[in-house]
C-alpha cells in the first residue's frame, strides 16, 4: 500500500505540473465574447447578427437547457501570417456550428460544424477537443457559434495558433494518460487485494474506480468518436450512464464501509434507500427525461458526500480506520468536492489554483481514489486481523477439544490410579494379540500378578500408602516389560501381562525378573519405616492351542493361586505348560 501511494503521488505531481492555460503564454486572440439566447432555436444567422448580445468573460454556463445559444467572438489577427484555431471546451457539446462572413457564399455566410455527435472525419479539427481552423485576414473579424446540446450548456473558447492548440491537445492527452494510469494502478491493487481476501469492499472499490475512470475518459471526449460510429444515438446517454454510475458505486462502497461501524439506524436506512436512485435515474433516461436524471444525480452526489459526514459522526463501533479518521476523511472529501463544484462560478477553470478542468478531474478522481483505497486497505486489514483472530480461536478450541477428547479416551482406557491399561482395554488388546498368535502359530504367555499381603498394607498404613504401593508396583512392572507386551490392572491389587513372541522359558524368566525387581524396591511408610512388597505370579502358555483368552487367563490365575499356597513371592507355571519349559 505504501509503494502504491508513492507511485500515485508521483503520477499526480507530474500531471499537475503541466500548465493549465494557453493564455498564460499570451496566445488568446479573442478581444470580446458575447452570447444570445434563442429559446425556440429558430433564429437565422442574419437575425442573430443584428441581435442584442450580452458580453461575458472567458466562459459561461447555463446548466441544462433546451435553448440554443449563439456566441459572438471578436478575434484579432495573429502577428504571424498563420491560421487561427477556435479552441472550444468542453468536448461533450452535441453540436457547435460556426458562421463567418464569406462573400463567395450565396447568402454571404460560410458554415462548418463540430460536436460530440460528429465523427472525427466530419470535424474541422481531427481532435478530441472541439474547434475550427479559420483565417483572420483583417485586423479584427467576427465569428458566430451556434450551440445546441442536451448536455450541460457551458462553453470556454479561445482563439490560438495551431501550434498552441496542438500543444494544448498534447498536454491534455498527457494528463489523461497519467489519470488513467493512476486509476488502473489502483484498480489492479484492489483486484489483487480482493483475490486474497474476497472482501466485498475491495470489489466495490474497483467498480467505483472503473466507473470514475470511464466517466473521466468520456467527459474529456475520447469515447465520442467510437460511440458515434457504433451507436450514434446514445452518445449522451452513455455519458450520463457513466456519470450516474459514479454516485451509485460511491454509495455502495460507503455503505459497505460504514456497515461494521454500526451507524445510526435511520442514517443507515437512508444509505439503503439512496441505492434506488440509480434504477430510477435509468428509467428516467429511457423515458427521455435526460435532464431530470442528470440533475437529480448531480444533487445526489452533492448531498451524498455531506450525508456521509453525518453518518461518520453517528458511528458506534471503533475499528480500523478509527471513527475519528473516517470523520476527518469525509469532511475533507466534502470540502474538496465543494471547491470543484464552485468552479463554474469562478470560471471554467480553477485559475486561482492554476488547474484546468481536466486537471481538476484528475485530482478529484485521484484524491478520492487514493483515500478510498486507504480506507479499504484499513478495513481489509481489520477484517484480516479479525479473521486471523477467529482462526486462532477456532484452532485453540479445536486443540483444546482434541486434547479433551484424547484425555477422555485415555481415561476410558487407562486405570486412573496406576496409569496402566484398565481391565476393559487390557482384555480388548489381549484378545486381539491372542487371535494373531493363534492365526500365525506364534508363542504367547499370560502372567497373572498379585501383590502379596496387600490388605495388610491398607489395614496397617492406610489406603493412601496402599495406593502408593499400587503405583510403585505398576511402575516397576511397566519398566521391566518390553514395549510390545501388554500390561494392565485387572483387579484391586491384581495385574495381568501378556508376553508376546516368548517361549515358555523366556516367559518364566520375565516373571522371575518381575518378582525380583519388586522385592528389591522399598516404599517408605508414614513413620519412615520401609515397607517391603512381593509378588505372586502365575504363568500360562498358549502352546499352539486354539482357545479363548478367558481360559488362558484362568490357567494363569490358577497358577498364581498355586504361588500363593506355595509361600508367595514366587512364580508358578500352570501344569499344562510344564512340557514347554524343558
Amino acid at each position: 500500500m505504501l509503494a502504491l501511494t508513492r507511485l500515485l503521488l508521483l503520477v499526480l505531481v507530474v500531471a499537475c505540473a503541466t500548465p493549465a492555460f494557453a493564455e498564460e503564454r499570451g496566445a488568446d486572440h479573442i478581444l470580446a465574447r458575447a452570447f444570445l439566447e434563442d429559446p425556440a432555436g429558430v433564429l437565422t444567422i442574419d437575425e442573430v447578427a443584428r441581435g442584442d448580445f450580452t458580453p461575458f468573460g472567458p466562459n459561461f454556463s447555463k446548466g441544462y437547457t433546451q435553448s440554443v445559444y449563439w456566441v459572438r467572438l471578436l478575434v484579432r489577427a495573429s502577428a504571424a501570417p498563420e491560421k487561427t484555431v477556435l479552441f472550444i471546451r468542453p468536448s461533450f457539446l452535441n453540436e457547435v456550428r460556426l458562421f463567418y462572413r464569406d462573400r463567395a457564399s450565396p447568402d454571404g455566410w460560410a458554415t462548418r460544424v463540430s460536436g460530440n455527435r460528429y465523427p472525427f472525419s466530419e470535424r474541422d479539427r481531427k481532435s478530441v477537443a472541439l474547434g475550427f481552423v479559420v483565417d483572420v485576414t483583417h485586423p479584427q473579424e467576427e465569428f458566430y457559434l451556434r450551440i445546441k446540446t442536451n448536455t450541460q450548456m457551458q462553453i470556454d473558447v479561445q482563439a490560438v495558433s495551431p501550434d498552441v492548440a496542438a500543444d494544448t491537445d498534447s498536454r491534455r492527452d498527457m494528463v489523461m494518460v497519467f489519470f488513467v494510469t493512476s486509476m488502473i494502478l489502483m484498480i489492479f491493487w484492489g483486484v489483487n487485494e480482493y483475490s486474497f481476501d474476497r472482501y466485498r469492499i475491495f470489489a466495490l472499490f474497483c467498480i467505483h474506480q472503473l466507473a470514475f475512470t470511464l466517466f473521466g475518459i468520456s467527459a474529456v471526449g475520447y469515447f465520442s468518436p467510437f460511440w458515434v460510429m457504433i451507436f450514434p444515438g446514445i452518445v449522451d446517454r452513455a455519458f450520463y450512464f457513466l456519470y450516474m454510475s459514479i454516485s451509485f458505486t460511491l454509495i455502495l462502497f460507503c455503505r459497505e464501509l460504514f456497515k461494521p461501524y454500526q451507524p445510526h439506524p435511520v442514517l443507515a436506512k437512508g444509505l439503503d434507500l439512496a441505492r434506488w436512485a440509480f434504477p430510477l435515474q435509468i428509467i428516467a433516461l429511457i423515458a427521455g427525461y435526460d435532464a431530470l436524471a442528470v440533475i437529480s444525480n448531480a444533487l445526489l452526489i452533492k448531498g451524498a458526500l455531506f450525508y456521509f459526514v453525518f453518518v461518520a459522526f453517528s458511528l458506534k463501533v471503533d475499528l480500523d480506520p478509527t471513527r475519528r479518521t473516517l470523520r476527518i476523511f469525509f469532511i475533507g472529501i466534502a470540502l474538496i468536492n465543494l471547491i470543484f463544484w464552485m468552479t463554474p462560478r469562478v470560471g471554467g477553470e480553477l485559475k486561482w489554483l492554476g488547474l484546468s478542468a481536466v486537471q481538476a478531474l484528475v485530482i478529484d478522481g485521484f484524491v478520492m481514489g487514493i483515500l478510498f483505497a486507504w480506507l479499504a486497505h484499513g478495513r481489509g486489514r481489520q477484517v484480516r486481523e479479525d479473521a486471523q483472530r477467529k482462526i486462532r480461536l477456532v484452532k485453540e478450541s479445536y486443540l483444546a477439544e482434541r486434547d479433551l477428547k484424547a484425555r477422555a479416551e485415555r481415561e476410558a482406557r487407562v486405570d486412573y490410579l496406576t496409569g496402566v491399561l484398565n481391565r476393559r482395554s487390557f482384555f480388548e488388546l489381549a484378545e486381539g494379540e491372542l487371535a494373531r498368535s493363534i492365526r500365525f502359530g506364534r508363542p504367547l504367555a499370560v502372567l497373572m500378578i498379585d501383590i502379596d499381603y496387600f490388605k495388610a498394607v491398607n489395614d496397617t498404613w492406610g489406603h493412601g500408602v496402599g495406593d502408593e504401593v499400587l503405583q510403585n508396583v505398576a511402575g516397576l512392572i511397566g519398566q521391566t516389560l518390553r514395549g510390545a507386551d501388554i500390561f494392565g490392572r485387572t483387579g484391586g491389587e491384581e495385574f495381568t501381562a501378556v508376553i508376546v513372541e516368548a517361549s515358555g522359558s523366556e516367559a518364566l524368566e520375565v516373571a522371575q525378573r518381575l518378582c525380583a525387581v519388586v522385592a528389591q524396591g522399598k516404599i517408605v511408610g508414614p513413620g519412615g519405616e520401609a515397607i517391603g512388597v512381593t509378588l505372586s505370579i502365575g504363568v500360562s502358555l498358549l502352546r499352539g492351542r486354539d482357545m479363548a483368552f478367558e481360559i488362558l487367563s484362568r490357567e494363569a490365575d490358577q497358577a498364581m493361586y498355586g504361588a500363593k499356597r506355595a509361600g508367595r513371592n514366587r512364580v508358578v507355571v500352570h501344569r499344562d505348560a510344564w512340557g514347554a519349559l524343558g
Side-chain angles (χ1 to χ4, degrees):
M1 184 64 190
L2 182 59
L4 175 67
T5 302
R6 290 173 177 171
L7 180 60
L8 293 177
L9 285 174
L10 176 63
V11 171
L12 179 66
V13 169
V14 175
C16 295
T18 58
F21 308 109
E23 61 263 33
E24 290 179 352
R25 302 172 57 184
D28 191 7
H29 298 164
I30 296 179
L31 300 175
R33 300 172 177 83
F35 73 89
L36 173 68
E37 184 178 6
D38 179 9
V42 297
L43 295 179
T44 65
I45 181 59
D46 292 316
E47 293 172 333
V48 169
R50 297 190 300 269
D52 185 15
F53 279 75
T54 302
F56 68 92
N59 46 64
F60 79 94
S61 176
K62 295 297 179 180
Y64 294 92
T65 176
Q66 296 298 314
S67 297
V68 172
Y69 277 85
W70 292 80
V71 174
R72 183 178 67 197
L73 304 173
L74 181 62
V75 182
R76 64 176 174 84
S78 174
E82 61 180 358
K83 293 183 179 294
T84 298
V85 176
L86 299 179
F87 197 86
I88 301 169
R89 289 175 289 191
S91 59
F92 52 73
L93 299 173
N94 294 155
E95 181 182 281
V96 181
R97 190 172 293 275
L98 170 69
F99 292 88
Y100 57 96
R101 295 187 185 278
D102 184 4
R103 294 178 181 179
S105 298
D107 58 356
W109 295 92
T111 183
R112 282 179 262 165
V113 69
S114 185
N116 73 341
R117 293 185 177 180
Y118 294 86
F120 279 10
S121 60
E122 298 180 18
R123 296 187 185 184
D124 201 43
R125 291 186 71 240
K126 309 302 186 286
S127 171
V128 170
L130 307 180
F132 302 95
V133 181
V134 299
D135 287 313
V136 183
T137 57
H138 298 87
Q140 298 180 2
E141 288 193 30
E142 284 187 345
F143 295 89
Y144 292 87
L145 300 176
R146 183 182 185 273
I147 306 170
K148 172 63 177 176
T149 185
N150 291 329
T151 59
Q152 189 174 11
M153 176 63 73
Q154 59 183 39
I155 187 169
D156 178 357
V157 58
Q158 297 172 345
V160 299
S161 68
D163 289 341
V164 172
D167 184 58
T168 303
D169 282 339
S170 297
R171 293 177 184 277
R172 179 206 59 235
D173 293 341
M174 183 174 68
V175 172
M176 287 305 297
V177 167
F178 286 129
F179 167 72
V180 174
T181 300
S182 63
M183 300 299 272
I184 289 177
L185 284 174
M186 285 189 277
I187 291 173
F188 280 162
W189 170 83
V191 170
N192 180 68
E193 291 291 313
Y194 179 75
S195 66
F196 281 109
D197 297 323
R198 290 294 189 272
Y199 185 35
R200 191 178 175 190
I201 198 168
F202 289 118
L204 294 175
F205 168 79
C206 293
I207 295 172
H208 175 69
Q209 292 303 105
L210 179 63
F212 200 101
T213 304
L214 295 176
F215 168 74
I217 297 173
S218 180
V220 177
Y222 289 97
F223 283 156
S224 296
F226 303 103
W227 289 122
V228 169
M229 290 187 294
I230 303 174
F231 304 109
I234 64 168
V235 175
D236 297 333
R237 290 184 177 178
F239 174 69
Y240 294 153
F241 175 81
L242 293 174
Y243 178 49
M244 290 182 292
S245 67
I246 293 177
S247 59
F248 179 59
T249 55
L250 176 64
I251 290 171
L252 292 181
F253 174 84
C254 292
R255 177 176 173 270
E256 187 70 18
L257 175 68
F258 288 134
K259 191 182 300 181
Y261 292 86
Q262 298 181 14
H264 191 281
V266 174
L267 296 177
K269 194 67 175 179
L271 292 175
D272 294 337
L273 294 176
R275 294 178 299 167
W276 293 99
F278 181 70
L280 294 176
Q281 290 165 352
I282 297 299
I283 293 173
L285 274 183
I286 295 174
Y289 296 98
D290 296 5
L292 175 62
V294 174
I295 292 173
S296 66
N297 188 69
L299 295 175
L300 178 62
I301 292 178
K302 292 176 173 63
L305 290 179
F306 287 98
Y307 188 82
F308 295 152
V309 175
F310 288 104
V311 176
F313 276 90
S314 75
L315 304 179
K316 300 176 183 177
V317 178
D318 214 356
L319 299 171
D320 184 15
T322 64
R323 291 178 294 177
R324 183 172 180 271
T325 300
L326 288 181
R327 291 162 187 169
I328 295 174
F329 165 78
F330 281 103
I331 290 174
I333 287 293
L335 292 178
I336 290 172
N337 281 271
L338 183 62
I339 293 173
F340 291 135
W341 295 331
M342 296 297 293
T343 297
R345 302 183 184 181
V346 296
E349 298 174 334
L350 293 177
K351 295 188 177 181
W352 53 285
L353 289 177
L355 299 176
S356 68
V358 175
Q359 288 171 320
L361 172 70
V362 171
I363 294 174
D364 189 28
F366 174 85
V367 171
M368 291 189 65
I370 195 67
L371 290 177
F372 280 147
W374 177 66
L375 288 181
H377 176 71
R379 285 299 310 125
R381 182 176 58 195
Q382 178 75 48
V383 169
R384 282 191 293 270
E385 290 175 356
D386 291 343
Q388 291 172 355
R389 189 180 303 110
K390 289 179 181 178
I391 292 173
R392 188 166 57 251
L393 291 175
V394 170
K395 184 178 180 180
E396 291 174 356
S397 176
Y398 166 75
L399 292 176
E401 183 178 353
R402 187 187 66 180
D403 292 343
L404 185 63
K405 183 178 180 181
R407 180 180 176 184
E409 291 178 352
R410 185 170 61 252
E411 290 177 351
R413 299 177 60 84
V414 174
D415 177 61
Y416 75 96
L417 179 61
T418 60
V420 299
L421 294 175
N422 60 24
R423 181 181 179 85
R424 186 187 67 179
S425 299
F426 171 80
F427 272 88
E428 288 178 358
L429 295 178
E431 287 172 352
E433 186 61 35
L434 175 64
R436 188 192 70 82
S437 297
I438 293 173
R439 184 166 60 250
F440 295 104
R442 306 305 300 169
L444 180 141
V446 176
L447 308 184
M448 191 65 69
I449 306 167
D450 189 83
I451 300 175
D452 297 329
Y453 303 112
F454 182 74
K455 184 176 183 304
V457 173
N458 281 333
D459 293 342
T460 304
W461 288 283
H463 290 282
V465 174
D467 291 345
E468 187 176 350
V469 168
L470 288 172
Q471 293 170 348
N472 185 64
V473 169
L476 292 173
I477 296 174
Q479 294 170 11
T480 305
L481 294 176
R482 300 169 301 174
D485 298 330
I486 303 171
F487 174 54
R489 183 185 178 191
T490 53
E493 67 273 15
E494 188 177 274
F495 299 90
T496 307
V498 174
I499 312 301
V500 300
E501 299 290 338
S503 63
S505 59
E506 292 172 336
L508 178 60
E509 181 182 351
V510 170
Q512 291 173 341
R513 191 183 314 128
L514 292 179
C515 279
V517 167
V518 172
Q520 293 170 3
K522 299 295 181 182
I523 298 176
V524 179
E529 65 277 16
I531 302 174
V533 178
T534 60
L535 300 178
S536 294
I537 302 177
V539 180
S540 65
L541 303 176
L542 179 60
R543 295 188 300 109
R545 295 176 291 173
D546 185 358
M547 59 195 311
F549 184 77
E550 181 181 359
I551 298 175
L552 194 59
S553 62
R554 188 184 305 133
E555 290 181 355
D557 191 58
Q558 291 172 357
M560 184 268 293
Y561 278 108
K564 294 281 189 184
R565 289 191 295 271
R568 295 181 172 81
N569 189 24
R570 68 191 61 223
V571 177
V572 172
V573 180
H574 191 269
R575 61 179 178 276
D576 291 341
W578 287 348
L581 300 177

